[in-house]
Amino acid sequence: MTPDLESWRSPGLPTALADLLRGHRLAAGLTQAELASRAGVGVRTVRDLERGRASRPQRTTVELLAGALGLVDPARSAFLAAARGPVPAPRTAPPAQPAAGTEPPAGTTVALPPPVTLVGRERDVAELVGMLTADSALRLVSLVGLTGVGKTALALAVAHAVADRHPGGVAGVLIGTGSDSADVLAASLAVFGVARLPELAAHLDGRPALLIMDAVERAPDPVAETVRRLTGAAPSLRVLVTGRHPVGLPGERVRPVAPLDVPPTDGAGLADYPAVALFTARLAQVRREPPAPDELPALAALVRRVGGLPLAIELMAARARILDLNELLDRYGDRVLDLATSSGAAERPGWDPAEPVGPDGGRAAVAETLRDAVATSYRLLAPHERTALRRLAAYGNRWSVEMAEEMLADDGDTDGTVVVDPVPLLDRLLELGLLSVRGTGPFRFRLLDAVRDFAAEQAAGAGEWTVIRRRHAEVLTRLVIRTAPDLVGVRLTAAAHRLDEVSGDISSALAHAAVDDPHTALRLAAGLARWWRFRGRDVAGRQCLRRLLADPRTAGADPVLRAWASVGVARLAAEHGAGAEEISTARTALAAFREAGDVIGEGEARTVLCALLIGIGAHDEARGQAETVLTLAARTGRTRDMAVAQNNLSWHEIRVGDLAAARRRLAAVDRLATQCADRRLRALAQANLAEVSRLEGRYADAVEQGRRVLRALDGLGDPGHRRRVLGTVGLALAQDGRAAEAAEVLTQLRPPGSPVHRTDGLHGRDPVPGARGGDPADGVYALIQGNLALHGGDRHLAAEWFAAAADVSVDGQDRRDVVEALVGLAASTGDPAVLERLDEACRGSGVRLLPQEDGLLYALVAARRAAP
């Protein structure tokens, strides 16, 4: 057998042209095939030149290569001169040996191939350099990872970085398939200029030296035996190996090489992510134009789709020679495993050019596709490890150890009882480069995208995928059910963030279960209602719950579960002005809770019903529901429910114009919310207090209080309430005559499709929209504009805005806004018909005019009587 084993060249070999050609090509970021295509020569010619096999290349060939590389003097002259130089000695000639009895000169090192420019590996290089220089006892470091992740390029960069601190020499060998221990040992000794193991210690004479061994998985046992013998004979020698798995020797430091960081789904800070930087760098080699703005979302999606794997990024970017990035995503986004080099092989900078490698400087797939590369690592797993990997492939995003435990539970378990300790398994997947671990939070584990796709294919082929997806939905449902009670009170922010971390898996689990297991889907969706509300997903969430409740397959579900889902529907409907449509839904849920004796559910249903009844003007019944909730909560000692009831009752005090009573109730809310450490409820109480201050005419206080609440809500979510508080601040600013500040609020409140208004000369510049309906914030927006116009003296424009505000169909507390809009309209026009409409609105809503509103209307009537 002839071993496929090549050493890095020592300084004694005259290979100037080969070195220059390879160095210039790598600096230009070209593969051998790409350089040959540019120069119009055969790829075999380039390979032979880089291997030193073409001893006397034709001048025309060399000039074509120089032109393709873009060389200019003096680099071009040096390149041509190297081609005309003396014939190199045979590549098989051994390096010169020191004369017997002589010491090698101090500082002698073995030449390194040119380094490859790395992207996003600065931290990795720094950590490895520290590892190899700070720990004198460390003898073996293994870089492990999936094919194409960039292990070889990283090892080469580290070798250059530590060369000056290893005066005994830095050298490397490439392990060939089928090499035995004698082959590996002979090559390792030869790169240091010795022939026998006892000579190595004498040659190094205690000086630190570093040996790089690449692709050790090709001959794992011979490599392990050689490393053991080398480090035993020469204590000053360190070994850095790269491979798909560790060597397995005592004292080995295993360093998994992770793919490059990819941007989040929102694409924020796109240019800061190494995966994007590598893609754009390679894109520049195949087309002149940088990514256009409309291609950036596709760029982010592509690098996420390939999981930041450098080889996959390289291969994907190469296809942009013909396709734009949106076309590339459409055509190859779901075919990542089929990515392959155009020739089925690429090159390994610094190694034998005939050896397949990755164009990014990492080792490329020996196989033709990423699927083949992943399959090679998959075959290293034991059968039970393969089964576990197939199950974990159901997770599309990051997951925790606990989630892994539940996915790996025994098939006979239905409660998630753990029968498999996932820690050894996860450690095994990590050391093989199949698993990524990022961060320190619980959700820090993730399968590489190509690995997940491959494992899912294997599961589908084995007929397991449907069962695995069902298990995945059950795991996510249990997680949501455990988290849902924390979506109120002091734990709200942390709980919402916990669900944010797995939002992608929640969506996929819900979509699958809705078809395959609607009962599980209903349980999952019922627990998500509050989270959907806080994250502004009320419309989609309500539609999902309604579909599941209407599914005939859930008709026999637990009545209490259906009641919770119905409460979720009603709560979400109230967020987007559709509460009136779900009053019967809330009443049905209330009846089910009462029949089941579920006091907690009854309180929730009554609270939601209270808000919906206000929206249709059933104020007395709404107040009765809130008072019943307060009684239930006091009887059961539920402090937070008492605070919620008091907060709801404070609106009824505002409705009847008793602002002092409203302040007393809000003070009680603040006290109770403090007792149960509910920051969000405190913020809402303070938001209502800001509204009371505005209605009292204390505009500066209202603005200050409202802005304080906005800062609190920024960290708590709940976009619906945030918009309402913005409206309070904007109205107080407009009524106080602070036009420029009110205009800033308008930019945040502007309804979709509204034209951009101006901040200079505000009044008369922003066209009045028609009555929009559907968004309660539209009425507040129009109210602010009306007050700005009124303060600016433009009564005609003010009347248009107040009319628009009064015509908006609203729910909830905005009923008070309708009355306020009609007061403004009456003050702007003096139309008796408006006064009649105002009287009718007050009778229908139970809203009583405040003293300053009565005063404004009285002044209007007096002015009309005084008019000639």
Side-chain angles (χ1 to χ4, degrees):
M1 156 177 43
T2 302
D4 176 19
L5 193 153
E6 175 107 1
S7 301
W8 275 338
R9 294 183 296 278
S10 70
L13 295 177
T15 56
L17 178 60
D19 287 336
L20 283 175
L21 178 58
R22 178 179 286 112
H24 288 310
R25 178 178 59 78
L26 294 176
L30 300 173
T31 65
Q32 288 178 338
E34 289 170 338
L35 176 58
S37 177
R38 287 191 181 188
V41 301
V43 67
R44 188 168 188 174
T45 299
V46 178
R47 289 178 177 170
D48 287 344
L49 285 171
E50 289 196 356
R51 298 190 69 176
R53 290 176 176 171
S55 60
R56 294 183 181 274
Q58 295 182 8
R59 179 181 179 85
T60 302
T61 300
V62 178
E63 289 178 343
L64 287 172
L65 289 170
L69 291 167
L71 299 182
V72 295
D73 286 329
R76 179 183 176 87
S77 297
F79 185 78
L80 297 177
R84 296 191 299 268
V87 179
R91 289 292 310 277
T92 55
Q97 302 294 323
T102 64
E103 296 292 332
T108 297
T109 61
V110 176
L112 297 176
V116 178
T117 301
L118 296 181
V119 175
R121 296 295 189 193
E122 296 80 7
R123 181 176 177 181
D124 296 314
V125 171
E127 289 180 356
L128 287 164
V129 167
M131 208 179 283
L132 291 169
T133 56
D135 189 350
S136 59
L138 185 61
R139 290 289 171 266
L140 175 61
V141 177
S142 293
L143 303 183
V144 298
L146 196 65
T147 293
V149 80
K151 303 182 294 293
T152 300
L154 180 58
L156 183 57
V158 171
H160 275 276
V162 302
D164 61 341
R165 282 175 272 189
H166 289 79
V170 177
V173 294
L174 172 62
I175 305 303
T177 302
S179 300
D180 58 22
S181 297
D183 296 328
V184 178
L185 180 60
S188 301
L189 293 173
V191 294
F192 286 105
V194 298
R196 293 182 297 276
L197 188 60
E199 298 172 3
L200 180 62
H203 174 76
L204 297 180
D205 193 25
R207 293 174 298 163
L210 178 64
L211 174 65
I212 314 295
M213 304 180 77
D214 192 35
V216 298
E217 74 278 356
R218 295 178 177 178
D221 293 336
V223 166
E225 173 64 17
T226 299
V227 171
R228 185 187 63 78
R229 295 182 65 186
L230 288 171
T231 54
S236 64
L237 177 67
R238 293 189 178 95
V239 182
L240 176 62
V241 306
T242 73
R244 292 195 184 97
H245 55 81
V247 175
L249 291 177
E252 177 181 16
R253 188 80 58 85
V254 179
R255 178 64 160 70
V257 180
L260 300 175
D261 286 344
V262 300
T265 53
D266 60 10
L270 199 60
D272 297 333
Y273 288 86
V276 174
L278 179 61
F279 192 101
T280 53
R282 296 302 177 259
L283 184 67
Q285 296 173 2
V286 298
R287 77 178 204 189
R288 295 179 180 179
E289 302 80 9
D294 65 341
E295 290 182 293
L296 294 180
L299 190 159
L302 283 168
V303 296
R304 283 196 305 272
R305 189 67 190 89
V306 299
L309 190 67
L311 173 62
I313 291 173
E314 298 270 356
L315 299 178
M316 189 71 81
R319 285 159 173 73
R321 188 192 307 273
I322 297 174
L323 305 174
D324 73 21
L325 301 193
N326 290 298
E327 293 171 335
L328 194 61
L329 179 62
D330 291 340
R331 182 172 291 269
Y332 292 106
D334 295 326
R335 297 167 53 193
V336 172
L337 287 174
D338 294 321
L339 288 174
T341 57
S342 58
S343 62
E347 308 165 47
R348 178 199 306 273
W351 298 108
D352 185 344
E355 183 65 29
V357 294
D360 70 318
R363 277 206 339 91
V366 173
E368 292 188 352
T369 66
L370 283 179
R371 178 182 287 102
D372 298 323
V374 177
T376 302
S377 294
Y378 182 74
R379 287 192 290 268
L380 296 173
L381 297 172
H384 75 280
E385 294 170 336
R386 296 179 189 178
T387 299
L389 185 67
R390 295 195 296 271
R391 290 188 181 183
L392 293 174
Y395 290 125
N397 294 289
R398 299 195 180 279
W399 33 272
S400 65
V401 173
E402 289 74 16
M403 293 170 69
E405 287 176 336
E406 294 192 62
M407 280 301 294
L408 302 180
D410 183 78
D411 289 329
D413 291 339
T414 57
D415 60 353
T417 303
V418 177
V419 296
V420 175
D421 182 1
V423 175
L425 168 74
L426 298 183
D427 189 60
R428 172 68 169 158
L429 297 179
L430 179 63
E431 74 175 13
L432 292 179
L434 301 173
L435 177 67
S436 170
V437 182
R438 296 283 174 84
T440 57
F443 302 100
R444 62 185 182 275
F445 302 96
R446 191 176 192 273
L447 293 181
L448 304 186
D449 290 62
V451 173
R452 188 176 69 247
D453 289 353
F454 177 84
E457 280 187 356
Q458 297 299 305
E464 303 170 342
W465 193 234
T466 298
V467 174
I468 289 174
R469 291 296 304 273
R470 186 175 300 166
R471 179 188 289 263
H472 173 256
E474 291 168 352
V475 171
L476 268 296
T477 298
R478 287 195 288 268
L479 173 64
V480 168
I481 290 173
R482 291 194 302 267
T483 305
D486 293 339
L487 289 170
V488 296
V490 67
R491 294 184 291 272
L492 184 152
T493 302
H497 180 67
R498 194 154 59 246
L499 296 184
D500 292 343
E501 293 268 29
V502 293
S503 60
D505 278 293
I506 288 174
S507 297
S508 63
L510 193 55
H512 177 80
V515 176
D516 179 68
D517 186 3
H519 282 260
T520 295
L522 185 63
R523 290 168 56 218
L524 175 56
L528 291 171
R530 287 186 183 274
W531 179 63
W532 279 331
R533 176 189 175 193
F534 296 146
R535 293 300 181 243
R537 304 175 189 175
D538 44 283
V539 174
R542 178 190 174 207
Q543 292 172 346
C544 176
L545 282 167
R546 285 179 63 87
R547 283 195 300 269
L548 289 169
L549 285 168
D551 191 326
R553 294 173 295 173
T554 66
D558 181 359
V560 172
L561 170 61
R562 290 183 60 85
W564 278 111
S566 297
V567 166
V569 169
R571 175 180 283 117
L572 294 171
E575 288 297 302
H576 53 268
E581 302 172 13
E582 301 294 354
I583 289 178
S584 62
T585 304
R587 292 190 190 280
T588 300
L590 175 59
F593 284 131
R594 295 193 66 185
E595 183 175 352
D598 189 328
V599 177
I600 296 175
E602 179 183 352
E604 285 288 323
R606 289 186 184 277
T607 298
V608 172
L609 187 57
C610 173
L612 303 188
L613 291 169
I614 290 173
I616 63 171
H619 304 292
D620 291 340
E621 185 183 355
R623 182 164 194 148
Q625 294 289 353
E627 289 172 342
T628 302
V629 172
L630 183 59
T631 301
L632 283 172
R635 187 171 70 230
T636 57
R638 298 181 63 82
T639 303
R640 186 183 182 279
D641 291 348
M642 292 169 60
V644 171
Q646 289 280 25
N647 190 62
N648 290 337
L649 287 167
S650 70
W651 183 85
H652 291 279
E653 310 294 3
I654 294 173
R655 177 174 62 89
V656 299
D658 192 346
L659 299 183
R663 279 189 173 275
R664 288 194 295 273
R665 287 198 183 274
L666 291 173
V669 175
D670 189 73
R671 183 180 66 255
L672 292 167
T674 301
Q675 290 177 15
C676 60
D678 192 327
R679 292 170 54 208
R680 176 180 170 275
L681 191 53
R682 283 199 72 192
L684 298 185
Q686 291 162 5
N688 287 337
L689 190 60
E691 178 70 2
V692 169
S693 295
R694 184 185 71 82
L695 294 174
E696 290 172 337
R698 299 165 55 188
Y699 302 127
D701 289 347
V703 170
E704 181 182 353
Q705 292 164 347
R707 285 175 171 168
R708 190 161 55 240
V709 172
L710 287 173
R711 288 192 294 271
L713 288 177
D714 283 341
L716 295 173
D718 206 343
H721 275 100
R722 191 182 189 283
R723 287 183 64 85
R724 180 66 201 183
V725 178
L726 267 176
T728 295
V729 172
L731 277 171
L733 289 167
Q735 290 169 326
D736 204 24
R738 296 158 66 176
E741 293 174 83
E744 293 178 5
V745 174
L746 284 172
T747 61
Q748 301 178 63
L749 278 175
R750 184 180 300 111
S754 167
V756 177
H757 73 281
R758 297 175 52 172
T759 58
D760 55 326
L762 281 170
H763 313 303
R765 303 294 186 185
D766 200 353
V768 179
R772 297 178 180 274
D775 185 353
D778 287 6
V780 177
Y781 180 87
L783 268 178
I784 297 173
Q785 291 280 23
N787 278 282
L788 284 172
L790 191 61
H791 271 270
D794 191 340
R795 290 182 175 275
H796 177 72
L797 181 60
E800 292 187 51
W801 277 112
F802 283 131
D807 288 341
V808 172
S809 175
V810 294
D811 278 336
Q813 296 189 29
D814 289 349
R815 285 281 174 175
R816 184 72 182 70
D817 294 344
V818 174
V819 170
E820 191 169 345
L822 290 172
V823 170
L825 183 58
S828 303
T829 64
D831 186 350
V834 176
L835 292 174
E836 293 177 5
R837 184 179 171 189
L838 175 60
D839 286 340
E840 182 180 347
C842 288
R843 287 194 302 271
S845 65
V847 173
R848 297 180 186 175
L849 297 182
L850 299 172
Q852 65 266 30
E853 293 171 328
D854 277 328
L856 182 63
L857 295 176
Y858 179 80
L860 170 65
V861 172
R864 286 180 58 82
R865 288 176 177 174

